[in-house]
Amino acid sequence: MFAEVIPMSQQFQRPSGRGARSAGRPVSLSADPLRFASAYHAPVLAAEVVDGLVTDRAGLYIDGTLGGGGHSAALLDVLAPSGHVIGIDQDGEALVASEERLVDDAQAGRFRTLRGNFADMEDLLADANVEAVDGILLDLGISSHQIDEASRGFAFSADGPLDMRMDAMSGDSGGETAAELIARLDVQSIADLLRTYGEEPRAWSIANAIVEHGAFATTGELAEVVRSAVPAKVEVKTLARVFQAFRIAVNDEMGVLERSLEAALNLLRPGGRLAVISYHSLEDRRAKHFLRFGNLQGEAKKDFYGNLLTPWNLLTRKPIMATPEEIHANPRARSARLRISEKKPEPQSS
Ligand SMILES: C[S@@+](CC[C@H](N)C(=O)[O-])C[C@H]1O[C@@H](n2cnc3c(N)ncnc32)[C@H](O)[C@@H]1O
Protein backbone atom coordinates (compact mmCIF):
# COMPACT_ATOMS: atom_id res chain seq x y z
CA MET A 1 0.00 0.00 0.00
CA PHE A 2 2.13 2.85 1.29
CA ALA A 3 5.74 2.22 0.47
CA GLU A 4 9.20 3.53 0.96
CA VAL A 5 10.05 6.79 2.70
CA ILE A 6 12.50 9.05 0.91
CA PRO A 7 15.14 10.47 3.25
CA MET A 8 14.34 14.09 4.10
CA SER A 9 17.64 15.25 2.64
CA GLN A 10 16.54 14.00 -0.79
CA GLN A 11 12.98 15.22 -0.56
CA PHE A 12 13.52 18.85 0.11
CA GLN A 13 16.39 19.88 -2.09
CA ARG A 14 14.91 23.17 -3.09
CA PRO A 15 15.11 24.76 -6.46
CA SER A 16 16.66 28.21 -6.39
CA GLY A 17 14.27 31.15 -6.30
CA ARG A 18 12.16 33.11 -3.88
CA GLY A 19 11.33 30.29 -1.55
CA ALA A 20 14.95 29.29 -1.20
CA ARG A 21 15.63 32.09 1.28
CA SER A 22 15.55 29.85 4.30
CA ALA A 23 16.09 26.56 2.60
CA GLY A 24 19.87 26.51 2.59
CA ARG A 25 19.87 25.09 6.08
CA PRO A 26 17.21 22.77 7.37
CA VAL A 27 14.70 24.16 9.81
CA SER A 28 14.59 20.88 11.72
CA LEU A 29 13.19 20.71 15.21
CA SER A 30 14.51 18.57 17.99
CA ALA A 31 14.31 14.81 17.52
CA ASP A 32 11.75 14.41 20.33
CA PRO A 33 8.52 13.49 18.49
CA LEU A 34 6.41 14.60 21.47
CA ARG A 35 8.04 18.00 21.90
CA PHE A 36 4.90 19.83 20.77
CA ALA A 37 2.38 17.43 22.32
CA SER A 38 -0.17 18.68 24.85
CA ALA A 39 -2.93 17.06 26.87
CA TYR A 40 -5.25 18.09 24.00
CA HIS A 41 -3.38 16.38 21.13
CA ALA A 42 0.04 15.15 20.03
CA PRO A 43 0.81 16.49 16.53
CA VAL A 44 2.25 13.90 14.16
CA LEU A 45 5.26 14.40 11.91
CA ALA A 46 5.80 17.90 13.37
CA ALA A 47 9.47 18.11 12.40
CA GLU A 48 8.77 16.83 8.89
CA VAL A 49 5.90 19.32 8.42
CA VAL A 50 8.06 22.26 9.47
CA ASP A 51 11.00 21.06 7.37
CA GLY A 52 8.82 20.69 4.32
CA LEU A 53 6.52 23.66 4.65
CA VAL A 54 8.67 26.60 5.73
CA THR A 55 10.41 28.31 2.84
CA ASP A 56 10.50 31.81 4.31
CA ARG A 57 10.96 32.31 8.03
CA ALA A 58 9.30 35.70 7.83
CA GLY A 59 6.34 34.30 5.91
CA LEU A 60 2.65 33.72 6.65
CA TYR A 61 1.50 30.15 7.22
CA ILE A 62 -2.00 28.72 7.58
CA ASP A 63 -2.65 25.84 9.96
CA GLY A 64 -5.99 24.80 8.49
CA THR A 65 -6.63 22.18 11.20
CA LEU A 66 -5.53 23.96 14.35
CA GLY A 67 -6.69 21.37 16.94
CA GLY A 68 -4.58 21.79 20.07
CA GLY A 69 -2.16 24.09 18.24
CA GLY A 70 0.72 21.58 18.18
CA HIS A 71 1.71 22.15 14.55
CA SER A 72 1.18 25.90 14.93
CA ALA A 73 3.52 25.87 17.93
CA ALA A 74 6.12 23.95 15.92
CA LEU A 75 5.85 26.42 13.04
CA LEU A 76 6.09 29.45 15.34
CA ASP A 77 9.15 27.88 16.92
CA VAL A 78 11.14 28.06 13.68
CA LEU A 79 9.68 31.24 12.22
CA ALA A 80 11.39 34.59 12.67
CA PRO A 81 9.74 37.13 15.01
CA SER A 82 8.22 38.64 11.85
CA GLY A 83 6.73 35.29 10.74
CA HIS A 84 3.02 34.62 11.25
CA VAL A 85 0.64 31.69 11.70
CA ILE A 86 -3.14 31.80 11.29
CA GLY A 87 -4.95 28.77 12.71
CA ILE A 88 -8.36 27.70 11.43
CA ASP A 89 -10.69 25.22 13.12
CA GLN A 90 -14.43 24.71 13.08
CA ASP A 91 -14.37 23.39 16.62
CA GLY A 92 -14.65 26.16 19.22
CA GLU A 93 -12.84 24.03 21.82
CA ALA A 94 -9.76 23.83 19.58
CA LEU A 95 -9.64 27.61 19.24
CA VAL A 96 -9.85 28.11 23.01
CA ALA A 97 -7.14 25.51 23.72
CA SER A 98 -4.76 26.94 21.10
CA GLU A 99 -5.33 30.54 22.08
CA GLU A 100 -4.47 29.66 25.69
CA ARG A 101 -1.41 27.72 24.64
CA LEU A 102 -0.07 30.31 22.21
CA VAL A 103 -1.07 33.40 24.17
CA ASP A 104 2.44 34.91 24.01
CA ASP A 105 2.61 34.55 20.24
CA ALA A 106 -0.90 35.99 19.94
CA GLN A 107 0.11 38.99 22.08
CA ALA A 108 3.21 39.45 19.94
CA GLY A 109 0.95 39.59 16.87
CA ARG A 110 2.44 36.39 15.37
CA PHE A 111 -0.57 34.11 15.86
CA ARG A 112 -4.30 34.41 15.47
CA THR A 113 -7.25 32.08 15.01
CA LEU A 114 -10.24 32.00 12.68
CA ARG A 115 -13.28 29.85 13.32
CA GLY A 116 -14.75 28.08 10.33
CA ASN A 117 -14.51 25.26 7.84
CA PHE A 118 -11.16 25.05 6.06
CA ALA A 119 -13.05 24.46 2.82
CA ASP A 120 -14.08 28.13 3.15
CA MET A 121 -10.55 29.35 3.81
CA GLU A 122 -10.50 31.74 0.86
CA ASP A 123 -13.49 33.63 2.29
CA LEU A 124 -12.26 33.37 5.89
CA LEU A 125 -8.88 34.80 4.93
CA ALA A 126 -10.34 37.45 2.63
CA ASP A 127 -12.40 38.67 5.62
CA ALA A 128 -9.11 38.86 7.55
CA ASN A 129 -7.55 40.87 4.67
CA VAL A 130 -5.22 38.05 3.66
CA GLU A 131 -4.81 37.47 -0.08
CA ALA A 132 -1.85 35.11 -0.38
CA VAL A 133 0.16 32.88 1.93
CA ASP A 134 3.49 31.03 1.97
CA GLY A 135 2.32 27.66 3.25
CA ILE A 136 -0.81 25.74 4.23
CA LEU A 137 -1.07 22.65 6.42
CA LEU A 138 -4.05 20.30 6.53
CA ASP A 139 -3.74 17.64 9.26
CA LEU A 140 -6.97 15.80 8.50
CA GLY A 141 -9.36 13.94 10.76
CA ILE A 142 -10.07 14.55 14.41
CA SER A 143 -7.99 15.38 17.45
CA SER A 144 -7.35 13.13 20.43
CA HIS A 145 -9.38 15.58 22.50
CA GLN A 146 -12.41 15.10 20.25
CA ILE A 147 -12.09 11.32 20.55
CA ASP A 148 -11.58 11.46 24.32
CA GLU A 149 -14.62 13.69 24.93
CA ALA A 150 -17.46 11.15 25.12
CA SER A 151 -20.00 13.95 24.68
CA ARG A 152 -18.78 14.55 21.10
CA GLY A 153 -19.92 11.09 20.07
CA PHE A 154 -16.85 10.13 18.00
CA ALA A 155 -15.62 7.21 20.10
CA PHE A 156 -16.89 3.65 20.19
CA SER A 157 -15.01 3.05 23.44
CA ALA A 158 -16.95 5.64 25.45
CA ASP A 159 -20.68 6.15 25.75
CA GLY A 160 -22.05 9.51 24.63
CA PRO A 161 -24.68 11.03 22.36
CA LEU A 162 -24.36 9.79 18.77
CA ASP A 163 -23.36 13.18 17.36
CA MET A 164 -20.00 13.23 15.45
CA ARG A 165 -20.37 16.80 14.11
CA MET A 166 -16.98 18.48 14.23
CA ASP A 167 -18.52 21.90 14.57
CA ALA A 168 -21.01 20.82 17.25
CA MET A 169 -19.27 23.05 19.81
CA SER A 170 -19.52 26.19 17.74
CA GLY A 171 -23.15 26.62 18.70
CA ASP A 172 -24.37 27.31 15.16
CA SER A 173 -23.94 23.91 13.55
CA GLY A 174 -26.98 23.29 11.42
CA GLY A 175 -25.67 19.88 10.42
CA GLU A 176 -27.23 16.49 10.90
CA THR A 177 -25.93 14.31 13.75
CA ALA A 178 -24.90 10.68 13.16
CA ALA A 179 -28.10 9.56 14.93
CA GLU A 180 -30.22 11.68 12.57
CA LEU A 181 -28.30 10.45 9.53
CA ILE A 182 -28.82 6.78 10.48
CA ALA A 183 -32.52 7.37 11.13
CA ARG A 184 -32.92 8.85 7.63
CA LEU A 185 -31.08 6.17 5.62
CA ASP A 186 -32.35 2.83 4.34
CA VAL A 187 -30.39 -0.39 4.56
CA GLN A 188 -28.88 -0.10 1.08
CA SER A 189 -27.66 3.47 1.71
CA ILE A 190 -26.10 2.49 5.05
CA ALA A 191 -24.34 -0.48 3.45
CA ASP A 192 -23.04 1.77 0.63
CA LEU A 193 -21.84 4.35 3.16
CA LEU A 194 -19.98 1.71 5.19
CA ARG A 195 -18.37 0.29 2.07
CA THR A 196 -17.38 3.65 0.58
CA TYR A 197 -16.17 5.50 3.66
CA GLY A 198 -15.16 2.58 5.89
CA GLU A 199 -14.06 0.03 3.26
CA GLU A 200 -16.04 -2.34 5.48
CA PRO A 201 -16.23 -5.92 4.13
CA ARG A 202 -19.26 -6.85 6.30
CA ALA A 203 -21.18 -3.72 5.33
CA TRP A 204 -24.39 -5.52 4.42
CA SER A 205 -24.81 -7.51 7.67
CA ILE A 206 -23.93 -4.47 9.78
CA ALA A 207 -26.37 -2.27 7.84
CA ASN A 208 -29.11 -4.87 8.37
CA ALA A 209 -28.44 -5.02 12.11
CA ILE A 210 -28.51 -1.21 12.31
CA VAL A 211 -31.82 -0.90 10.48
CA GLU A 212 -33.39 -3.73 12.48
CA HIS A 213 -32.40 -1.96 15.71
CA GLY A 214 -34.23 1.24 14.72
CA ALA A 215 -33.41 4.64 16.23
CA PHE A 216 -30.09 5.22 18.04
CA ALA A 217 -29.34 7.75 20.74
CA THR A 218 -25.84 6.85 21.93
CA THR A 219 -22.46 5.65 20.67
CA GLY A 220 -22.71 2.72 23.09
CA GLU A 221 -25.93 1.52 21.42
CA LEU A 222 -24.38 1.69 17.96
CA ALA A 223 -21.24 -0.09 19.16
CA GLU A 224 -23.35 -2.87 20.70
CA VAL A 225 -25.32 -3.43 17.49
CA VAL A 226 -22.15 -3.51 15.38
CA ARG A 227 -20.56 -6.00 17.80
CA SER A 228 -23.62 -8.25 17.49
CA ALA A 229 -23.22 -8.38 13.70
CA VAL A 230 -19.56 -9.44 13.42
CA PRO A 231 -17.25 -12.15 14.83
CA ALA A 232 -15.59 -11.16 18.12
CA LYS A 233 -12.09 -11.35 16.66
CA VAL A 234 -12.75 -8.50 14.18
CA GLU A 235 -14.84 -6.39 16.56
CA VAL A 236 -12.39 -3.58 17.25
CA LYS A 237 -11.27 -3.07 13.65
CA THR A 238 -14.88 -3.17 12.48
CA LEU A 239 -15.97 -0.61 15.07
CA ALA A 240 -13.13 1.69 14.00
CA ARG A 241 -14.18 1.41 10.33
CA VAL A 242 -17.90 1.87 11.04
CA PHE A 243 -17.38 4.91 13.27
CA GLN A 244 -14.96 6.39 10.74
CA ALA A 245 -17.50 5.90 7.95
CA PHE A 246 -20.30 7.69 9.81
CA ARG A 247 -17.94 10.50 10.87
CA ILE A 248 -16.83 11.07 7.26
CA ALA A 249 -20.44 11.15 6.08
CA VAL A 250 -21.71 13.42 8.87
CA ASN A 251 -18.99 15.99 8.17
CA ASP A 252 -18.90 15.50 4.36
CA GLU A 253 -15.16 15.08 4.80
CA MET A 254 -14.43 14.07 1.23
CA GLY A 255 -16.35 16.98 -0.30
CA VAL A 256 -14.71 19.36 2.16
CA LEU A 257 -11.23 18.03 1.37
CA GLU A 258 -11.78 18.42 -2.37
CA ARG A 259 -12.94 22.03 -1.99
CA SER A 260 -10.11 22.88 0.37
CA LEU A 261 -7.37 21.53 -1.94
CA GLU A 262 -8.61 23.84 -4.70
CA ALA A 263 -8.83 26.74 -2.25
CA ALA A 264 -5.29 26.12 -1.02
CA LEU A 265 -3.92 26.23 -4.56
CA ASN A 266 -5.63 29.58 -5.13
CA LEU A 267 -4.29 31.05 -1.89
CA LEU A 268 -0.65 30.03 -2.16
CA ARG A 269 1.90 32.42 -3.60
CA PRO A 270 4.07 30.92 -6.34
CA GLY A 271 6.76 28.99 -4.46
CA GLY A 272 4.38 28.47 -1.53
CA ARG A 273 3.73 24.96 -0.27
CA LEU A 274 0.80 22.77 0.67
CA ALA A 275 1.27 19.93 3.17
CA VAL A 276 -1.47 17.35 3.73
CA ILE A 277 -1.42 14.69 6.44
CA SER A 278 -4.00 11.98 5.83
CA TYR A 279 -4.97 8.99 7.94
CA HIS A 280 -6.83 6.74 5.53
CA SER A 281 -6.62 5.82 1.89
CA LEU A 282 -9.69 7.80 0.76
CA GLU A 283 -8.11 11.06 1.91
CA ASP A 284 -4.64 10.08 0.82
CA ARG A 285 -5.75 9.22 -2.72
CA ARG A 286 -7.30 12.66 -3.16
CA ALA A 287 -4.25 14.43 -1.72
CA LYS A 288 -1.91 12.32 -3.87
CA HIS A 289 -3.76 13.07 -7.11
CA PHE A 290 -4.20 16.75 -6.41
CA LEU A 291 -0.65 17.40 -5.25
CA ARG A 292 0.77 15.70 -8.31
CA PHE A 293 -1.60 16.49 -11.15
CA GLY A 294 -3.59 19.48 -9.88
CA ASN A 295 -6.85 17.54 -10.28
CA LEU A 296 -8.71 15.08 -8.09
CA GLN A 297 -9.08 12.39 -10.73
CA GLY A 298 -5.33 11.80 -11.05
CA GLU A 299 -5.45 12.69 -14.77
CA ALA A 300 -2.03 13.36 -16.26
CA LYS A 301 -2.67 16.23 -18.69
CA LYS A 302 0.25 16.85 -21.04
CA ASP A 303 1.27 19.56 -23.47
CA PHE A 304 2.14 19.04 -27.14
CA TYR A 305 5.68 17.94 -26.18
CA GLY A 306 4.51 15.44 -23.56
CA ASN A 307 5.34 17.61 -20.53
CA LEU A 308 3.01 17.18 -17.58
CA LEU A 309 0.71 20.18 -17.15
CA THR A 310 0.40 20.69 -13.40
CA PRO A 311 0.46 23.71 -11.10
CA TRP A 312 2.69 21.82 -8.64
CA ASN A 313 6.24 20.68 -8.11
CA LEU A 314 5.69 17.53 -6.08
CA LEU A 315 8.26 17.33 -3.26
CA THR A 316 7.27 13.93 -1.88
CA ARG A 317 7.26 11.21 -4.53
CA LYS A 318 6.16 8.79 -1.79
CA PRO A 319 4.35 9.89 1.37
CA ILE A 320 6.46 10.68 4.40
CA MET A 321 5.63 8.40 7.33
CA ALA A 322 6.45 8.46 11.01
CA THR A 323 9.61 6.82 12.30
CA PRO A 324 9.28 3.75 14.56
CA GLU A 325 10.32 6.03 17.46
CA GLU A 326 7.43 8.40 16.78
CA ILE A 327 4.95 5.54 16.37
CA HIS A 328 6.15 4.08 19.66
CA ALA A 329 5.67 7.44 21.39
CA ASN A 330 2.39 8.24 19.61
CA PRO A 331 0.59 5.21 18.09
CA ARG A 332 -1.78 7.52 16.19
CA ALA A 333 1.18 8.39 13.93
CA ARG A 334 1.13 4.86 12.51
CA SER A 335 -1.40 5.63 9.78
CA ALA A 336 -0.25 9.19 9.02
CA ARG A 337 0.89 9.98 5.46
CA LEU A 338 2.39 13.39 4.70
CA ARG A 339 2.51 14.75 1.15
CA ILE A 340 3.89 18.15 0.18
CA SER A 341 3.91 20.12 -3.08
CA GLU A 342 5.17 23.54 -4.06
CA LYS A 343 3.15 25.85 -6.27
CA LYS A 344 4.95 26.59 -9.52
CA PRO A 345 5.59 30.17 -10.63
CA GLU A 346 2.86 31.60 -12.86
CA PRO A 347 3.68 31.04 -16.55
CA GLN A 348 5.31 34.17 -18.07
CA SER A 349 3.02 35.97 -20.49
CA SER A 350 4.76 36.91 -23.74
C1 LIG B 1 -5.99 15.96 13.58
S1 LIG B 1 -6.67 17.35 14.35
C2 LIG B 1 -5.39 18.55 14.17
C3 LIG B 1 -4.43 18.56 15.31
C4 LIG B 1 -3.41 19.67 15.22
N1 LIG B 1 -2.59 19.55 14.05
C5 LIG B 1 -2.57 19.74 16.46
O1 LIG B 1 -1.34 19.75 16.35
O2 LIG B 1 -3.13 19.77 17.57
C6 LIG B 1 -7.81 17.93 13.16
C7 LIG B 1 -8.50 19.22 13.56
O3 LIG B 1 -9.08 19.73 12.39
C8 LIG B 1 -10.38 20.16 12.66
N2 LIG B 1 -11.14 20.03 11.43
C9 LIG B 1 -11.47 18.88 10.80
N3 LIG B 1 -12.15 19.16 9.68
C10 LIG B 1 -12.23 20.50 9.62
C11 LIG B 1 -12.80 21.39 8.67
N4 LIG B 1 -13.44 20.95 7.59
N5 LIG B 1 -12.68 22.71 8.88
C12 LIG B 1 -12.03 23.19 9.99
N6 LIG B 1 -11.50 22.39 10.92
C13 LIG B 1 -11.58 21.06 10.73
C14 LIG B 1 -10.88 19.28 13.78
O4 LIG B 1 -11.88 19.96 14.52
C15 LIG B 1 -9.60 19.05 14.59
O5 LIG B 1 -9.47 20.00 15.60
Side-chain angles (χ1 to χ4, degrees), residues 189-203:
S189 309
I190 293 179
D192 290 346
L193 183 156
L194 297 178
R195 239 177 255 120
T196 309
Y197 295 143
E199 296 173 335
E200 173 50 55
R202 295 177 178 81

Side-chain angles (χ1 to χ4, degrees), residues 40-43 63-72 88-91 94 116-119 137 139-143 146 166 256 279 332:
Y40 195 99
H41 185 82
D63 181 351
T65 45
L66 183 59
H71 283 113
S72 286
I88 298 174
D89 208 294
Q90 58 185 349
D91 184 340
N117 193 311
F118 57 61
L137 167 66
D139 174 20
L140 302 171
I142 51 177
S143 63
Q146 286 167 322
M166 278 191 215
V256 161
Y279 295 87
R332 188 174 187 276

Side-chain angles (χ1 to χ4, degrees), residues 1-287:
M1 248 219 320
F2 297 105
E4 133 214 19
V5 179
I6 307 174
M8 294 297 291
S9 53
Q10 287 172 29
Q11 285 165 9
F12 298 117
Q13 283 168 356
R14 290 192 45 80
S16 58
R18 175 188 174 281
R21 264 181 282 173
S22 71
R25 73 191 169 91
V27 289
S28 299
L29 301 164
S30 98
D32 176 3
L34 293 185
R35 180 167 159 214
F36 293 96
S38 67
Y40 195 99
H41 185 82
V44 306
L45 297 166
E48 291 81 354
V49 164
V50 169
D51 245 4
L53 198 60
V54 175
T55 53
D56 178 358
R57 282 192 167 88
L60 168 59
Y61 294 84
I62 305 303
D63 181 351
T65 45
L66 183 59
H71 283 113
S72 286
L75 287 166
L76 287 160
D77 194 61
V78 300
L79 293 181
S82 52
H84 290 85
V85 173
I86 297 178
I88 298 174
D89 208 294
Q90 58 185 349
D91 184 340
E93 289 187 336
L95 301 191
V96 171
S98 310
E99 281 161 6
E100 273 172 17
R101 172 182 190 163
L102 297 169
V103 63
D104 292 345
D105 293 292
Q107 277 168 5
R110 306 175 71 219
F111 174 71
R112 61 176 295 195
T113 61
L114 297 173
R115 199 185 83 192
N117 193 311
F118 57 61
D120 302 324
M121 67 179 128
E122 282 182 277
D123 289 342
L124 290 169
L125 290 167
D127 289 347
N129 295 318
V130 174
E131 281 174 10
V133 304
D134 295 281
I136 299 174
L137 167 66
L138 296 177
D139 174 20
L140 302 171
I142 51 177
S143 63
S144 303
H145 174 81
Q146 286 167 322
I147 295 174
D148 294 344
E149 264 310 287
S151 64
R152 304 298 301 271
F154 289 111
F156 57 81
S157 50
D159 204 13
L162 190 54
D163 191 321
M164 299 198 189
R165 292 168 305 162
M166 278 191 215
D167 60 352
M169 303 310 281
S170 61
D172 57 2
S173 169
E176 192 172 46
T177 66
E180 289 162 350
L181 175 71
I182 291 174
R184 179 170 63 77
L185 296 181
D186 62 15
V187 68
Q188 182 66 59
S189 309
I190 293 179
D192 290 346
L193 183 156
L194 297 178
R195 239 177 255 120
T196 309
Y197 295 143
E199 296 173 335
E200 173 50 55
R202 295 177 178 81
W204 188 250
S205 4
I206 298 168
N208 264 306
I210 288 175
V211 169
E212 253 170 48
H213 175 87
F216 287 86
T218 67
T219 52
E221 252 179 273
L222 176 61
E224 206 37 57
V225 168
V226 172
R227 276 192 197 100
S228 73
V230 300
K233 62 175 192 245
V234 296
E235 229 175 71
V236 175
K237 281 194 170 159
T238 307
L239 282 165
R241 288 193 292 259
V242 168
F243 273 64
Q244 170 189 292
F246 284 122
R247 191 200 82 213
I248 290 175
V250 163
N251 296 288
D252 182 26
E253 289 182 31
M254 293 307 122
V256 161
L257 175 59
E258 292 177 3
R259 280 165 54 212
S260 62
L261 292 171
E262 304 275 1
L265 177 60
N266 294 337
L267 276 169
L268 283 173
R269 299 183 213 286
R273 293 178 175 188
L274 172 60
V276 182
I277 306 176
S278 56
Y279 295 87
H280 56 78
S281 55
L282 293 172
E283 293 169 342
D284 187 59
R285 199 174 310 136
R286 283 165 172 81

